[in-house]
Amino acid sequence: MDADVPGRVVIFDTTLRDGEQAPGFSLRHEAKLRFARTLDELGVDVIEAGFPIASEDDFEAVRDVAREVRRPAIAALARSVPRDIDRAGEALAGAARPRMHVFIATSDLHLSRKLGMTRDQALEAAVTGVERARRFADDIEFSAEDATRSDPDFLAEMVAAVVGAGATTVNLPDTVGYSVPEEIRAMFRAVRQRLPEGRPVVLSAHCHNDLGLAVANSLAAMEGGARQIECTVNGIGERAGNASVEELAMALKVRGDRLPFTTGVRTSVLFAASQLLSELTGEAVQANKAIVGRNAFAHEAGIHQDGLLKDRRTYEIMRAEDVGRPSTTLVLGKHSGRHALRARCEALKVTLSRLELDELYRAMIRRAEVCKVVEDGDLLDLVGELRRAGPQPVAAAPSPAPSRRSRWESPVTIEEPGYGFGV
Ligand code: KIV
Ligand code: ZN
């Protein structure tokens, strides 16, 4: 893969491991396999398919994904203990490109309160874990859990030790989403400066979203030298989730002027991946979620709709089509204006005189006050009522009335302005 190009960032998708670990998001192994195929289409570089020691079903998921999905590397997670590592290795046996992912905590809080270990014991466990993982693969990732709350000198010592033992990727997670961008950028810079010489290693960021900073922290980590980002579709993951792949990929695409990094993500598959994940987990995406939420490309306010109809760049920084969505949607609600109403009517092949538009507009606002959103079917009903009541018939095209569709399927075609944003 062209992940060796400077500025090319490896996308490590952990939807099927960290994401799936979150309450309500668990997936059976058949569903994982189905989703892994979509991740392959999406173009991610690494799919973390599960934590094989956790359950028989997770073992089978990793095994089946490894056997079937051949382009991306397939990763399996293991604590730095022999039985986890052997189980992960067994699950990855059929993989074209296996990646063993071994982790241990490095913060004093986790070492003393959770693991009851000293720093020296953790160092030894990490080194023997990485060495053992090498029995199963050459591609070894080591994660220093709670890295952002670890002592910087101990973290640097741990990184040097695992790289010496054969780790090819070192992940520095913000496990509890505590970091801020400035800090994480500095942490990556410091670790990079202290890397042992002569051993190529990729530094990786894995940011949780407890303060809503996972994507910002991941971007800052790239500036500090991270060249792998761990993320999930829809940002799912432990607690408030992980950095969302759709937000990262589009931030890099839309703001390439400030963020000189590229990924292999096919952004036109983002929406389908998001929808499939929702379907498989039964968990809806928040309406205002960036990129993939129901409202991410929907506009109701009259001023915005008017601007969009004149030039979509007034209120949109990317095209819905670029993320695989049908199109921009102008929602008809009580904040909408006549310009949007006319555009929707034209899309429905209903031609209105000025007077008819005014009447329909008033009727539409009254309807919207009651039902929030006026769908195409409601609008056609209103047109019919006006036609029956009004002195002047509303001229409709001879073609059959469109079927009732959800507002997601009723795009309004907006003239293409030609974006100057490199999208
Ligand atoms: O958040 C975390 O630290 C993790 C590691 C296991 C990578 O998920
Ligand atoms: Zn995590």
Side-chain angles (χ1 to χ4, degrees), residues 17-18 173 175 206 208 238 242:
R17 200 280 298 169
D18 207 316
T175 301
H206 173 114
H208 278 273
E238 287 283 5
N242 289 71

Side-chain angles (χ1 to χ4, degrees), residues 38-85:
T38 297
L39 289 174
D40 186 10
E41 249 179 82
L42 183 61
V44 305
D45 302 295
V46 186
I47 296 176
E48 185 164 53
F51 188 17
I53 197 74
S55 71
E56 190 56 32
D57 196 60
D58 225 31
F59 174 86
E60 286 171 16
V62 176
R63 184 198 59 199
D64 292 355
V65 170
R67 283 181 184 160
E68 192 187 310
V69 182
R70 314 298 287 176
R71 182 197 54 81
I74 307 299
L77 185 68
R79 287 168 299 184
S80 210
V81 295
R83 67 175 192 288
D84 279 34
I85 294 169

Side-chain angles (χ1 to χ4, degrees), residues 214-263:
V215 171
N217 282 337
S218 303
L219 297 174
M222 287 181 214
E223 288 169 348
R227 286 295 176 274
Q228 173 176 287
I229 298 297
E230 304 199 354
C231 48
T232 60
V233 172
N234 294 343
I236 70 170
E238 287 283 5
R239 305 178 310 281
N242 289 71
S244 107
V245 63
E246 52 276 4
E247 294 174 22
L248 278 164
M250 291 314 292
L252 297 183
K253 194 164 177 171
V254 173
R255 295 310 312 270
D257 57 328
R258 297 301 296 260
L259 303 163
F261 308 102
T262 56
T263 71

Side-chain angles (χ1 to χ4, degrees), residues 88-269:
E90 204 186 325
L92 290 177
R97 301 180 52 219
R99 173 177 293 196
M100 295 287 291
H101 182 187
V102 177
F103 77 100
I104 197 165
T106 49
S107 68
D108 289 334
L109 178 65
H110 277 235
L111 287 176
S112 65
R113 307 295 298 169
K114 185 182 81 175
L115 299 175
M117 270 183 163
T118 63
R119 288 182 179 182
D120 283 347
Q121 286 169 330
L123 271 174
E124 197 191 324
V127 167
T128 54
V130 168
E131 284 169 352
R132 193 176 187 96
R134 291 186 61 205
R135 294 183 190 175
F136 303 98
D138 295 328
D139 184 356
I140 310 291
E141 173 165 337
F142 173 80
S143 284
E145 193 188 12
D146 209 18
T148 52
R149 293 192 300 170
S150 300
D151 171 64
D153 290 333
F154 180 59
L155 187 62
E157 194 184 346
M158 176 64 92
V159 172
V162 295
V163 172
T168 46
T169 298
V170 173
N171 184 37
L172 305 177
D174 186 26
T175 301
V176 289
Y178 179 71
S179 208
V180 295
E182 226 12 79
E183 205 175 14
I184 208 159
R185 190 185 294 110
M187 179 186 78
F188 274 89
R189 278 197 184 127
V191 169
R192 191 160 53 102
Q193 277 159 10
R194 296 170 73 170
L195 280 177
E197 284 186 8
R199 287 192 179 256
V201 59
V202 175
L203 293 182
S204 166
H206 173 114
C207 299
H208 278 273
N209 205 31
D210 300 65
L211 294 174
L213 293 171
V215 171
N217 282 337
S218 303
L219 297 174
M222 287 181 214
E223 288 169 348
R227 286 295 176 274
Q228 173 176 287
I229 298 297
E230 304 199 354
C231 48
T232 60
V233 172
N234 294 343
I236 70 170
E238 287 283 5
R239 305 178 310 281
N242 289 71
S244 107
V245 63
E246 52 276 4
E247 294 174 22
L248 278 164
M250 291 314 292
L252 297 183
K253 194 164 177 171
V254 173
R255 295 310 312 270
D257 57 328
R258 297 301 296 260
L259 303 163
F261 308 102
T262 56
T263 71
V265 171
R266 275 184 219 109
T267 62
S268 58
V269 183

Side-chain angles (χ1 to χ4, degrees), residues 13 36-37 82 106 117 165 195 212 226 228 232 238 247 260 268 296-297 308-309 312 331 357-358 383 386 404 414 421:
D13 183 280
R37 292 186 195 116
T106 49
M117 270 183 163
L195 280 177
Q228 173 176 287
T232 60
E238 287 283 5
E247 294 174 22
S268 58
F297 292 87
L308 273 158
L309 288 163
R312 55 197 280 176
V331 176
L357 179 68
D358 284 346
V383 170
L386 287 176
R404 282 173 187 250
I414 298 175
F421 308 134

